[in-house]
Structure formats: C-alpha cells, structure tokens
Amino acid sequence: SQLRLKIALLLGKKHRVVPARALAFQQMASQAYADPAQGAAAERLAEEQRPAPSVQDLTLRQYLDTHVVPNLLPGLNAVAEARPENPVEWLAHYLLKNSQAAAGGAATPAGEEVAQS
C-alpha cells in the first residue's frame, strides 16, 4: 500500500498504479546491473571528477556559445543602437576593446598587433 502510494506520487496523482506494475517498476529499478559490484564501479566512474575539455575538444556549438557569443551579442546590440556609417569597422573596434577587457588584454592571436583607430 505504501509502495503503491509512493509510485502514484512519482507518476502524478492522475495515474492509478496497478500493484503488478508497481512490482515490475521496483524490480526494474533494482536490477540496473546484474552484478552489484559492476553497478558500484559504474557509479564511481560517473561521479569521478574530470578535467574541463580543452578548446579543441569542444563541439562547434559549445565553442561559439562559450567564447564568441558572449562578446558578439552585446556588440551587435551596441551597433544596432549606434547605427554607425561603417558598422563592420565599428563592431570590430567594439569587439577588440571589450574582448581585451574581458580577457585581460590577451584577445589577439600571438604575434599580431591590434591596429589603433
């Protein structure tokens, strides 16, 4: 009866739990691994701390979301508000100025100088 109530709460009050289904659910949840030692090893592996992936290991979407979009979107908003005569140059200057501030001055590739306007 208590198990039935717990499962009903998990599934939502709209669903009526049949005792046979509740038993099958309980058995399925307790037998994720036939060998308990294998299950414990899998759990330890899942909880292990891993180093953050390098920039080269990121997918294109992850790379853009992490390193490009946080600077680009505010720049695009600013260029839309300012509506300068040369929006590409204005945006380039904005990105150089603001990405250097965010990165502590290391926004340009090694060996390249930033043209000052």
Side-chain angles (χ1 to χ4, degrees):
S1 178
Q2 287 181 341
L3 177 62
R4 185 175 178 189
L5 177 62
K6 288 179 185 178
I7 293 175
L9 290 173
L10 286 173
L11 296 176
K13 295 183 180 181
K14 296 178 190 174
H15 297 88
R16 185 171 165 256
V17 178
V18 178
R21 284 187 181 170
L23 182 60
F25 179 76
Q26 183 183 19
Q27 289 173 346
M28 182 175 54
S30 67
Q31 294 181 356
Y33 287 92
D35 180 14
Q38 186 182 17
E43 187 174 328
R44 281 192 304 277
L45 182 63
E47 292 177 352
E48 223 175 65
Q49 294 292 332
R50 292 179 182 81
S54 73
V55 174
Q56 299 302 321
D57 293 334
L58 297 174
T59 64
L60 177 60
R61 177 68 182 244
Q62 290 171 326
Y63 175 76
L64 293 174
D65 285 346
T66 303
H67 298 285
V68 177
V69 172
N71 288 318
L72 186 59
L73 285 181
L76 291 173
N77 286 332
V79 79
E81 288 178 15
R83 294 185 184 246
E85 289 294 319
N86 189 343
V88 175
E89 184 178 327
W90 194 96
L91 179 61
H93 179 71
Y94 176 93
L95 290 172
L96 287 172
K97 184 176 114 181
N98 290 291
S99 65
Q100 283 179 349
T108 58
E112 293 184 19
E113 291 187 25
V114 178
Q116 298 295 324
S117 47

